[in-house]
């Protein structure tokens, strides 16, 4: 852990720890109309996943003794000068300044002049098409807001880090309205339905590859905006109606409609990638086998029981209902027999082992591809918990949820806590999967 020894004598003014979830878009965001403010060319809609399986944990500490801002990601120090990080930091400090200037009574203790140290870890592979940047920047925005005492809407701050991050600020089903204003003030995330709305909904993440993707979403989007006529058509003529239809499917818990639209929208997003010049391809041959598996499974049942969606990577996110989970996992195990990791192939929620019926096996008609899927994470939409959407804490950092006090001023925890915490986090990240 590359933390300087001088840390041991520094006393942070405040230490805050928060966690944030991953979200998976069912109507995809792809393309910006403003690169700096990160304003999208279309609205998008996503499902926020349970933090038990996928989450980012971030600790931020501010101190008068810190001489520079510093950031660690998964135990490695990162360049704090990265434009996205800088945009979030500057935006938070601007909001904190605005709040202090608007204060009537005694001004709150000034933390604005303090530098910040931030340590963040994911409990899942980073940058592998598992929306790590969404959880990461939502968590950064929220943690910085708590530590600098900012209480306004954080869509703008999270969005400046990674567009899709603003959707991770809410649980359940969330839309990111593209907005119309040039300053982006109306480009905000909003909950469409709470996490408790559809308790039977289940999510399986089929990890095909945990490697970093070849074309990052920023570069990919820029290329698509410049060269893909399909992308323009999609944004103007397809997405508005799909947003309305997807909202209806969610509100009415119409799984068939939800599943069909999710697959169609994923396919159109990947079609725009192929329409980009030079073309971008995120799907691998295994991704395609998963697509065929889902369609054959649905055809066999004479109904749409399972849906796939793919972000900027080969990993599939599967939506299904609780009563179909076990059968579909059996179909996946048959089609992609696990290697030596049979016992740990399925992580997350418990799924009852089910035999694969002979008729379904015949209907799948697929030669098994051993090791094609590395592992599965079974999860669900995050249910409401006692702790609210984020957990944060003051005082000695602890792993795990704690009530969110929203105020951190007045405490002077020893920075040794931060040191220990960062160390614990990096150990947790290294050992998790
Ligand atoms: O927020 P970014 O820049 O990581 O882009 C996310 C793009 C997709 O994951 C492909 C789609 C989406 O809406 O999340």
């Amino acid at each position: 852990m590359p933390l300087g020894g001088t840390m041991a004598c520094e006393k942070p003014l405040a230490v805050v720890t928060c966690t944030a979830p991953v979200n998976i878009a069912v109507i995809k965001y792809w393309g910006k109309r403003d690169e700096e403010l990160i304003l999208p060319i279309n609205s998008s809609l996503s499902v926020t996943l349970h933090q038990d399986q996928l989450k980012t944990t971030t600790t931020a500490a501010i101190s008068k003794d810190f001489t520079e801002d510093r950031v660690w990601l998964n135990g490695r120090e990162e360049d704090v000068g990265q434009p996205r990080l800088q945009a979030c930091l500057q935006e938070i400090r601007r909001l904190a300044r605005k709040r202090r200037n608007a204060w009537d009574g005694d001004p709150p203790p000034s933390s604005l002049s303090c530098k910040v140290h931030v340590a963040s870890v994911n409990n899942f592979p980073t940058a592998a098409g598992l929306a790590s940047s969404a959880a990461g920047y939502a968590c950064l925005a929220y943690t910085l807001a708590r530590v600098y005492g900012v209480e306004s809407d954080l869509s703008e701050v999270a969005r400046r880090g990674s567009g899709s991050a603003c959707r991770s600020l809410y649980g359940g089903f969330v839309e990111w309205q593209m907005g119309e204003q040039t300053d982006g003030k109306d480009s905000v995330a909003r909950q469409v339905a709470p996490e408790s709305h559809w308790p039977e909904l289940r999510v399986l993440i089929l990890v095909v590859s945990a490697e970093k993707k070849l074309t990052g979403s920023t570069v990919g989007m820029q290329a698509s905006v410049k060269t893909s006529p399909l992308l323009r058509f999609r944004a103007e003529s397809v997405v508005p109606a799909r947003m309305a239809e997807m909202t209806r499917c969610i509100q009415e818990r119409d799984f068939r409609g939800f599943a069909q639209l999710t697959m169609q929208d994923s396919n159109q997003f990947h079609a725009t990638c192929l329409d980009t010049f030079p073309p971008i391809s995120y799907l691998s041959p295994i991704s395609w086998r998963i697509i065929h598996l889902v369609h054959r499974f649905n055809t066999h049942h004479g109904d749409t029981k399972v849906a796939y969606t793919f972000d900027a990577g080969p990993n599939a996110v599967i939506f299904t209902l609780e009563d179909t989970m076990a059968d579909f996992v059996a179909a996946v195990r048959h089609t992609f027999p696990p290697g030596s990791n049979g016992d740990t192939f399925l992580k997350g929620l418990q799924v009852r082992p089910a035999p694969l019926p002979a008729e379904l096996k015949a209907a799948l008609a697929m030669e098994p591809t051993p090791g094609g899927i590395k592992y599965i994470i079974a999860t669900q939409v995050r249910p409401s918990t006692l702790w609210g959407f984020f957990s944060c804490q003051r005082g000695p950092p602890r792993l795990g949820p704690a009530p969110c006090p929203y105020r951190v001023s007045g405490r002077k925890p020893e920075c040794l806590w931060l040191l220990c915490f960062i160390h614990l986090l990096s150990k947790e990240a290294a050992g998790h999967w």
Side-chain angles (χ1 to χ4, degrees):
M1 171 58 53
L3 272 173
T6 53
M7 282 284 292
C9 57
E10 295 159 357
K11 287 190 169 44
L13 266 183
V15 181
V16 177
T17 297
C18 299
T19 67
V22 159
N23 74 76
I24 300 295
V26 288
I27 301 293
K28 305 287 186 198
Y29 145 58
W30 196 251
K32 300 179 184 72
R33 63 180 199 274
D34 185 316
E35 287 285 338
E36 200 178 315
L37 297 177
I38 313 228
L39 301 177
I41 60 165
N42 63 268
S43 297
S44 54
L45 206 155
S46 60
V47 179
T48 299
L49 305 185
H50 200 301
Q51 294 191 48
D52 274 1
Q53 284 77 40
L54 299 141
K55 72 170 176 217
T56 296
T57 304
T58 300
T59 290
I62 51 173
S63 169
K64 291 205 174 80
D65 301 324
F66 293 164
T67 53
E68 54 183 345
D69 295 328
R70 295 176 74 182
V71 171
W72 290 262
L73 177 59
N74 292 322
R76 270 193 35 204
E77 184 155 13
E78 298 283 322
D79 173 14
V80 77
Q82 286 173 50
R84 298 288 182 88
L85 267 171
Q86 280 302 316
C88 290
L89 270 166
Q90 281 164 19
E91 192 56 26
I92 279 288
R93 286 176 171 143
R94 186 186 68 78
L95 292 169
R97 214 169 295 122
K98 198 168 144 195
R99 182 163 182 257
R100 191 189 54 187
N101 295 343
W103 201 270
D104 292 346
D106 286 343
S110 179
S111 51
L112 266 166
S113 52
C114 291
K115 299 290 181 195
V116 68
H117 285 187
V118 177
S120 193
V121 289
N122 297 324
N123 63 353
F124 58 93
T126 302
L130 292 184
S132 56
S133 63
Y137 279 107
C139 207
L140 179 74
Y142 197 78
T143 315
L144 288 177
R146 299 281 76 85
V147 89
Y148 282 107
V150 169
E151 285 174 2
S152 41
D153 182 274
L154 296 174
S155 284
E156 188 166 354
V157 185
R159 202 186 69 214
R160 297 291 291 270
S162 169
S164 56
C166 65
R167 298 187 313 238
S168 272
L169 290 168
Y170 299 93
F173 303 83
V174 184
E175 70 174 323
W176 173 16
Q177 298 167 339
M178 61 178 285
E180 286 170 358
Q181 290 172 213
T182 46
D183 63 4
K185 292 282 177 261
D186 57 350
S187 186
V188 290
R190 186 187 77 92
Q191 196 180 55
V192 168
E195 40 276 80
S196 54
H197 173 70
W198 204 346
E200 303 82 17
L201 196 64
R202 291 291 179 273
V203 181
L204 294 166
I205 299 168
L206 310 186
V207 179
V208 171
S209 161
E211 272 161 37
K212 223 174 144 108
K213 53 203 173 214
L214 270 182
T215 313
S217 56
T218 305
V219 173
M221 279 185 212
Q222 282 166 351
S224 297
V225 168
K226 263 200 210 128
T227 63
S228 167
L230 176 57
L231 184 70
R232 222 157 300 141
F233 172 73
R234 164 178 164 74
E236 286 164 14
S237 310
V238 181
V239 173
R242 283 192 175 174
M243 287 293 291
E245 177 60 6
M246 187 58 93
T247 304
R248 182 202 65 75
C249 291
I250 290 168
Q251 278 162 357
E252 294 176 11
R253 289 187 283 270
D254 167 3
F255 184 78
R256 188 181 303 143
F258 170 85
Q260 285 176 1
L261 201 46
T262 295
M263 293 189 278
Q264 284 171 332
D265 204 69
S266 172
N267 293 342
Q268 190 174 73
F269 154 52
H270 289 280
T272 62
C273 289
L274 217 53
D275 190 43
T276 301
F277 197 77
I280 305 166
S281 160
Y282 288 120
L283 302 180
S284 71
I286 298 292
S287 314
W288 276 102
R289 286 182 72 75
I290 295 169
I291 292 173
H292 294 313
L293 170 68
V294 167
H295 284 292
R296 286 179 193 178
F297 186 93
N298 287 338
T299 304
H300 172 74
H301 284 96
D303 196 0
T304 307
K305 296 235 167 219
V306 179
Y308 54 77
T309 186
F310 296 83
D311 281 341
N315 301 324
V317 176
I318 301 289
F319 288 99
T320 189
L321 296 176
E322 194 181 8
D323 59 6
T324 309
M325 276 266 272
D327 281 357
F328 188 72
V329 168
V332 171
R333 271 187 182 274
H334 163 76
T335 315
F336 304 98
S340 53
N341 65 336
D343 295 350
T344 54
F345 184 63
L346 185 68
K347 302 168 192 292
L349 295 181
Q350 292 270 341
V351 181
R352 162 182 61 82
L356 188 71
E359 320 80 73
L360 176 55
K361 193 168 160 183
L364 294 179
M366 289 172 89
E367 270 303 305
T369 312
I373 290 176
K374 304 280 174 288
Y375 57 90
I376 304 177
I377 305 170
T379 186
Q380 58 192 325
V381 182
R382 184 185 184 275
S384 293
T385 70
L386 215 63
W387 313 118
F389 182 60
F390 283 87
S391 63
C392 43
Q393 63 187 55
R394 60 183 175 182
R398 271 181 289 149
L399 286 172
C404 184
Y406 290 97
R407 283 192 169 273
V408 291
S409 53
R411 295 290 299 228
K412 295 193 177 204
E414 295 296 328
C415 68
L416 196 59
W417 294 336
L418 176 65
L419 206 67
C420 295
F421 185 64
I422 293 169
H423 182 65
L424 274 173
L425 288 182
S426 61
K427 276 174 71 174
E428 189 198 33
H432 203 86
W433 298 122

